[in-house]
Amino acid sequence: MRIAFLGLGIMGGPMAGHLQRAGHDVTVFNRTAAKAEAWVAEYGGRAAATPREAAAGCDVVCACVGADHDVREVTIGPDGAFHGMKPGAIFVDHTTASAAVARELHADAKARGLHFIDAPVSGGQAGAQKGQLSVMCGGDAEPFATVEPVLQAYGRMVARIGDSGAGQLCKMVNQLCIAGLVQGLAEALHFAQRADLDVPAVISVISKGAAQSWQMENRWQTMVDGKFDFGFAVDWMRKDLGIVMDEARRNGARLPVAALVDQFYAQVQARGGNRWDTSSLIALLDDK
Ligand code: NAP
């Protein structure tokens, strides 16, 4: 297929690479052009100067940018992809954004004879590099069926959850599961240290029981070591929790722990940890 990929960041770069390696004809766009040139040097394919130019003639246009306003910019902005896409083409948005912007752009796409699928991902940088992401989709069944095999180039699990916006709502559920768990893990590790326990010995036992989690498996050691300069940034998590809280105000969900953890992340930001990994919550507990 002819595919465009917009946004070659930590996630988008390797995801676009998997599409090229799967044999698709890929054109990339990145706002900072040097990243697109580096991508072409590594993977082949072509770079375009604007989303509109990248999207021209493509069957599928994927994006992984920052937040709602960035998704609007690369779709309906002056040089947005929607202006260049051919009738019937499918836009797949991997950005973590609001369900509202997904529904807005789904309707806008439909009016132009295009399709829009919201398809946020989970699995982090390592998942993107290994092609082992979970891709949670919202949108119409027919275009989803067309893009499903394409997304399997980087998705270990690709699923349509429901209509437009359902993919983003599923990602909100994902982030809620993580936020409270990371604080619990931080408190547990903090307690184990204060109790003078042999922390590796504790983890070796409890990670085989009901306390086991991805965060425990992948983050306990770096949390104990106080290393946070990698992974999923606190700034991104606060953006995501902001989206969740907006949605909860609409649907009436009560999220006391998520609201509290969001405030803890604000404290991490105040300490300069904007780009630290989300596991950095433990740094607040050792504040004397
Ligand atoms: P990133 O490394 O900061 O990359 C963001 C990309 O979006 C860059 O290519 C950036 O271009 C581009 N971009 C941002 N705003 C733009 C705009 N207005 N117009 C055009 N391009 C724009 O971020 P990331 O970690 O890949 O995350 C991307 C998305 O995936 C976010 O929504 C994030 O929440 C989500 N996500 C991230 C992870 C993770 O572990 N990192 C996991 C799951 C989901 P420039 O190069 O010019 O800045």
Side-chain angles (χ1 to χ4, degrees):
M1 279 197 190
R2 280 195 65 184
I3 302 180
F5 205 105
L6 318 176
L8 304 171
I10 287 177
M11 300 299 286
M15 289 163 78
H18 285 294
L19 293 176
Q20 181 71 15
R21 287 188 175 146
H24 296 294
D25 177 6
V26 180
T27 302
V28 293
F29 161 78
N30 197 73
R31 181 177 56 183
T32 308
K35 259 191 224 172
E37 285 155 23
W39 188 94
V40 170
E42 185 174 352
Y43 297 101
R46 275 184 305 277
T50 64
R52 180 204 290 252
E53 193 184 311
C58 285
D59 307 294
V60 176
V61 181
C62 298
C64 191
V65 290
D68 282 16
H69 62 279
D70 303 310
V71 184
R72 284 200 188 89
E73 196 172 324
V74 300
T75 51
I76 56 174
D79 277 321
F82 280 14
H83 306 302
M85 288 166 72
K86 66 181 185 187
I90 306 165
F91 193 100
V92 179
D93 182 28
H94 292 302
T95 312
T96 303
S98 68
V101 82
R103 294 185 193 115
E104 170 196 321
L105 293 172
H106 174 267
D108 190 304
K110 205 160 211 168
R112 297 171 195 255
L114 307 171
H115 301 284
F116 184 93
I117 307 271
D118 48 300
V121 298
S122 173
Q125 183 175 10
Q129 287 165 341
K130 293 181 194 155
Q132 294 180 350
L133 295 169
S134 290
V135 189
M136 36 211 120
C137 301
D140 301 330
E142 207 177 305
F144 172 75
T146 306
V147 296
E148 187 180 11
V150 174
L151 306 187
Q152 280 162 348
Y154 41 74
R156 180 169 50 185
M157 179 72 203
V158 180
R160 177 177 174 269
I161 306 299
D163 292 337
S164 181
Q168 295 296 354
L169 291 170
C170 181
K171 174 73 182 183
M172 293 177 211
V173 174
N174 184 81
Q175 299 306 72
L176 282 169
C177 290
I178 291 172
L181 191 147
V182 174
Q183 178 63 18
L185 180 60
E187 291 182 18
L189 292 169
H190 174 68
F191 178 91
Q193 289 171 305
R194 289 296 165 111
D196 282 331
L197 286 170
D198 177 346
V199 177
V202 169
I203 294 294
S204 71
V205 176
I206 69 171
S207 64
K208 302 294 176 289
Q212 189 274 341
S213 67
W214 185 97
Q215 300 292 337
M216 181 183 283
E217 291 285 329
N218 293 279
R219 295 288 185 261
W220 78 267
Q221 182 74 64
T222 44
M223 288 170 83
V224 167
D225 294 345
K227 290 184 182 150
F228 311 118
D229 55 345
F230 59 88
F232 186 61
V234 166
D235 277 354
W236 278 152
M237 188 54 149
R238 288 216 72 210
K239 167 194 64 117
D240 294 359
L241 289 174
I243 291 169
V244 170
M245 292 304 165
D246 278 350
E247 196 63 43
R249 269 188 285 278
R250 272 190 288 276
N251 70 19
R254 285 175 288 173
L255 309 173
V257 172
L260 184 61
V261 172
D262 183 49
Q263 288 305 298
F264 292 154
Y265 280 128
Q267 288 177 36
V268 175
Q269 287 176 319
R271 292 172 53 149
N274 301 61
R275 297 296 293 186
W276 289 357
D277 181 69
T278 41
S279 57
S280 56
L281 285 173
I282 196 170
L284 300 177
L285 300 175
D286 274 328
D287 245 358
K288 301 280 177 339

